Amino acid sequence: MQGNPFVMYLDQFNTLSPNHSKIYDEYMLENDTVSYEFQVETKVEQTIIQKFASAPGHVILTGNAGDGKTRLCRTIYNHFSKDGKLEAWPKEGIVECSFDKGRLRIVKDLSELRDDIIERELTQLQSLMEENSEQIYYVIAANEGKLTKFLSQRTSLASLAEDVKRRFEDYRHNTTTLSIYNLLDVTSSIYLEKVLDEWNKEENWMACTACPRQKRCIIHLNHTRMKQPAVKRRMVEQYRLLDFLAIHLTMRELLIHMSYVFTGGYTCTDVLEANYQEIEQQIEKVYYQNFFGAGVSEGAFSEIKAFEVFSYQDPGKQADGEVDDFILNGDISGNEELEQTHLSLFNQDLDMYRGYFTRQLQRYRDHDQATRQDFTSWFPRLRRKIYFEFPQGIPLAIDRLIPYRYIQEYKRALEDTRYRKQLRKKIISGLNRTFSQRLVENGDVLYATNRNLLIYGKYYDDRVSVTVQEQREDIDHLPSHMFLHVKDAQLLVNLYIFEYLFRIANGGTFNLLKQETNILIDTFKNELIRISPVDDEEDLYILRLDPEAGEYVRDEISISGGSKYD
């Protein structure tokens, strides 16, 4: 019996499979029996197409390998070409087509070209920016580092180099003549939702209805769970956390990750031919395990970047007394709602080994020592299941299964201007304590200081402002972090920084999240000290220990007369 062709399509993205395809710009599968293709519609392609349709100008696309630059080039060509779709890129990777406003010249990857060809194309672009009577418009996909380095090394391209530099500094410098779209600025979580909606369409899974192994197929079970709105919402939330942390996953990395979440690396052939022991192994590849790479080999972990970036926020690693008590006692808690939820989650389904877990739970309660170690190994798996599948509206602190204690405050701060103003005191307190590595009193003043406790400058909270990253309408982008401004000094406040400062302000230790925040905070501290003026050469301001309060407080020392607080 043949399997589901859509599962074969997903297997193309499995980096450990012999069927793995390295060509992603079409997102398609073709063989003797089926042809499958889908497109993730993006705002950036709509923006560029509208630009060429109304007021054409030159476009440069940048981003990491796998961000979709080649796919965008193909989409633009196919939209405007009157000669049909682009079947294959020519060897040089440059195509042209006529359109209503002139002629498009599309370079799919500047980095693949010889230096003399790159110079030829960029020289022509520079000339066309000055005078374009021929009405030729470029679309160039390029690596930012390669492009800027090449331009900096050629004085003949100085004018173009300056134009490109300004647009990289701020996308608002884009003009009708030249626009640069950096795909690193795209919000990954927006694309995840679109991919899940597309891949979970029922027509992709119709072939499974006649399969005799459907009820013991982990791939089909993953599909049925992942199409549920609550599960999809949790997956998007996990990707949204990456946005908050300023971690970027390319479209390629997203597709590789999600295909593994669906299949666990298996195909229909593996399911159809599996013996009893192999079925047990396949059950381990349930979607909530696959999402975090639980149980994968070291090779798979290195091949799929998402496993590494999601590892820290894996709910399976976060022990929580209330959640773990629900796992152990939810069905005998005396709370009817919790009991029903426990029974529905830990049931006779495939991922619960057809009721094996509930039997192990009962043996554990009966103090079966032989069961104890085997049973406790279930906890990480069940925490992940609870995180994705626990119904909303029932009182259980599921959000405690991720390691960010102030995530709700962070989300609210992104949306609420008044709330951001209220948070300034916490941020100031966290910074003062981090700069000095001392327990500095809570207050309204940010001190430009360091471990020597000398205060180089002081800034009252009305001179400290917190702003949110600007919303962009030209690409798929959601505001995901904030900025702290003090005069000319600026601190990027992503979720790492926010979490760290709030923990410190509330009495936390300096070592947690230090590695993730150290460089940004130290750079801001040094910049703050640099811009701080000397108020009075006759006085020194320091932080000194107040023995009664057990905190460090501001003190003033007059060089001629000693401390004013003596």
Side-chain angles (χ1 to χ4, degrees):
M1 177 181 175
Q2 287 188 337
N4 184 345
F6 182 69
V7 175
M8 295 169 57
Y9 165 76
L10 293 179
D11 193 49
Q12 285 189 125
F13 299 103
N14 178 8
T15 54
L16 305 177
S17 166
N19 299 320
H20 171 55
S21 169
K22 295 185 178 180
I23 305 301
Y24 292 92
D25 69 292
E26 298 100 340
Y27 305 151
M28 63 190 300
L29 167 74
E30 289 185 354
N31 58 31
D32 295 337
T33 59
V34 67
S35 177
Y36 179 81
E37 180 180 5
F38 89 97
Q39 295 283 343
V40 176
E41 291 190 1
T42 64
K43 273 191 177 181
V44 67
E45 74 182 50
Q46 295 168 5
T47 297
I48 294 171
I49 287 172
Q50 179 59 35
K51 175 183 177 68
F52 284 122
S54 56
H58 308 291
V59 169
I60 296 177
L61 301 169
T62 66
N64 291 338
D67 265 319
K69 300 186 296 295
T70 302
R71 186 196 69 83
L72 269 172
C73 289
R74 179 186 291 271
T75 299
I76 293 164
Y77 179 91
N78 289 343
H79 181 88
F80 288 104
S81 174
K82 298 168 184 174
D83 301 324
K85 289 188 175 182
L86 179 64
E87 297 298 331
W89 289 97
K91 184 177 180 180
E92 198 174 58
I94 301 174
V95 293
E96 285 196 3
C97 69
S98 298
F99 73 115
D100 293 343
K101 304 287 186 179
R103 191 162 187 81
L104 281 177
R105 186 168 176 83
I106 302 175
V107 182
K108 85 173 181 76
D109 192 344
L110 201 71
S111 305
E112 294 178 352
L113 304 179
R114 299 196 315 268
D115 283 0
D116 60 317
I117 299 176
I118 296 175
E119 186 165 7
R120 180 192 74 195
E121 298 301 320
L122 294 181
T123 299
Q124 179 164 317
L125 170 60
Q126 181 174 257
S127 298
L128 291 171
M129 287 180 62
E130 296 169 358
E131 196 278 320
N132 194 1
S133 59
E134 300 174 77
Q135 294 183 304
I136 297 175
Y137 302 100
Y138 267 97
V139 177
I140 298 176
N143 173 277
E144 177 181 348
K146 171 80 172 178
L147 175 62
T148 54
K149 181 179 179 181
F150 191 93
L151 290 171
S152 68
Q153 293 174 337
R154 285 156 177 81
T155 56
S156 61
L157 295 171
S159 174
L160 178 60
E162 181 60 30
D163 286 330
V164 167
K165 179 183 175 183
R166 291 188 70 251
R167 286 156 179 79
F168 275 133
E169 288 172 349
D170 192 330
Y171 78 94
R172 287 169 294 192
H173 292 152
N174 283 344
T175 64
T176 54
T177 305
L178 174 65
S179 298
I180 293 181
Y181 298 96
N182 191 341
L183 300 184
L184 293 175
D185 295 331
V186 165
T187 303
S188 301
S189 56
I190 294 176
Y191 289 168
L192 173 69
E193 191 163 7
K194 294 179 179 182
V195 170
L196 286 174
D197 287 340
E198 181 67 32
W199 283 3
N200 275 312
K201 285 181 177 177
E202 284 306 314
E203 56 258 38
N204 297 330
W205 303 91
M206 290 298 293
C208 297
T209 56
C211 179
R213 299 293 181 95
Q214 185 195 90
K215 293 188 180 299
R216 68 180 194 186
C217 175
I218 195 66
I219 301 172
H220 190 265
L221 179 136
N222 288 340
H223 154 63
T224 58
R225 298 281 179 81
M226 291 167 65
K227 72 178 182 180
Q228 296 174 7
V231 173
K232 183 178 77 171
R233 177 177 57 82
R234 282 295 192 184
M235 288 187 171
V236 173
E237 284 180 3
Q238 281 283 318
Y239 266 75
R240 188 71 177 121
L241 288 176
L242 298 190
D243 302 334
F244 295 155
L245 298 170
I247 295 173
H248 176 75
L249 281 185
T250 68
M251 177 63 83
R252 179 183 301 175
E253 290 161 345
L254 184 155
L255 294 173
I256 290 171
H257 180 223
M258 293 315 300
S259 67
Y260 184 85
V261 176
F262 271 92
T263 69
Y266 291 114
T267 64
C268 294
T269 302
D270 297 320
V271 173
L272 291 167
E273 297 179 357
N275 58 32
Y276 181 77
Q277 287 184 325
E278 289 168 335
I279 290 173
E280 279 197 338
Q281 293 172 355
Q282 290 171 12
I283 292 172
E284 289 294 320
K285 300 300 183 181
V286 66
Y287 78 94
Y288 48 77
Q289 296 283 84
N290 299 342
F291 193 95
F292 300 100
V296 302
S297 66
E298 186 176 336
F301 210 90
S302 62
E303 285 284 345
I304 302 178
K305 178 185 174 182
F307 292 161
E308 180 181 353
V309 298
F310 284 117
S311 177
Y312 181 76
Q313 55 204 54
D314 179 356
K317 298 178 179 179
Q318 312 299 320
D320 180 79
E322 187 178 351
V323 172
D324 290 352
D325 182 65
F326 171 78
I327 293 172
L328 286 171
N329 305 305
D331 58 330
I332 56 173
S333 64
N335 181 317
E336 184 177 349
E337 194 173 35
L338 281 178
E339 290 178 356
Q340 289 301 315
T341 300
H342 192 280
L343 292 172
S344 67
L345 285 174
F346 309 137
N347 50 27
Q348 304 292 314
D349 279 353
L350 184 66
D351 62 319
M352 291 292 99
Y353 290 86
R354 301 298 189 198
Y356 176 71
F357 167 73
T358 55
R359 293 193 295 273
Q360 291 294 90
L361 175 58
Q362 189 56 54
R363 292 179 66 185
Y364 178 84
R365 287 173 179 161
D366 292 339
H367 305 288
D368 183 345
Q369 293 299 317
T371 307
R372 182 169 294 274
Q373 184 173 355
D374 178 57
F375 179 79
T376 54
S377 68
W378 281 77
F379 272 87
R381 177 193 187 104
L382 299 181
R383 291 179 194 130
R384 296 180 188 110
K385 180 178 174 67
I386 286 172
Y387 175 79
F388 283 111
E389 297 183 10
F390 197 87
Q392 283 187 295
I394 300 177
L396 192 68
I398 304 303
D399 284 339
R400 289 212 295 261
L401 288 176
I402 56 175
Y404 305 106
R405 296 291 171 259
Y406 299 98
I407 183 64
Q408 297 306 325
E409 290 87 344
Y410 186 84
K411 290 178 180 178
R412 184 179 172 188
L414 286 175
E415 299 168 357
D416 188 336
T417 303
R418 184 175 298 177
Y419 185 63
R420 285 198 297 276
K421 291 181 179 179
Q422 296 173 7
L423 296 181
R424 282 187 304 192
K425 289 184 180 180
K426 281 286 185 187
I427 294 175
I428 287 171
S429 177
L431 285 171
N432 284 337
R433 294 180 178 187
T434 302
F435 290 167
S436 64
Q437 299 286 290
R438 304 291 198 281
L439 188 62
V440 179
E441 63 178 339
N442 286 316
D444 303 332
V445 183
L446 175 63
Y447 298 122
T449 185
N450 53 28
R451 294 190 190 186
N452 66 18
L453 305 185
L454 180 65
I455 298 173
Y456 298 90
K458 56 184 183 296
Y459 302 92
Y460 292 95
D461 65 344
D462 59 355
R463 297 177 66 188
V464 178
S465 63
V466 182
T467 62
V468 173
Q469 182 186 30
E470 187 178 77
Q471 172 72 55
R472 290 185 61 176
E473 298 298 334
D474 56 337
I475 63 174
D476 287 297
H477 170 85
L478 295 174
S480 302
H481 55 255
M482 294 169 277
F483 295 97
L484 182 78
H485 304 273
V486 180
K487 295 179 68 175
D488 295 332
Q490 176 178 280
L491 173 66
L492 168 69
V493 181
N494 58 26
L495 179 56
Y496 279 139
I497 299 290
F498 189 89
E499 181 80 13
Y500 180 76
L501 293 179
F502 265 60
R503 288 188 184 194
I504 297 300
N506 288 314
T509 58
F510 297 108
N511 59 317
L512 291 176
L513 293 177
K514 180 178 176 63
Q515 183 176 349
E516 292 83 357
T517 60
N518 191 45
I519 294 176
L520 282 175
I521 290 179
D522 276 359
T523 301
F524 177 66
K525 174 188 66 180
N526 293 335
E527 182 63 14
L528 204 60
I529 291 173
R530 186 188 68 80
I531 66 173
S532 297
V534 178
D535 290 332
D536 188 344
E537 294 183 359
E538 296 298 319
D539 295 317
L540 292 176
Y541 296 93
I542 64 168
L543 290 170
R544 67 169 178 85
L545 178 64
D546 182 341
E548 294 183 4
E551 296 178 327
Y552 280 77
V553 298
R554 178 174 172 269
D555 198 349
E556 185 177 346
I557 298 176
S558 173
I559 294 177
S560 57
S563 172
K564 295 185 179 181
Y565 292 90
D566 288 342

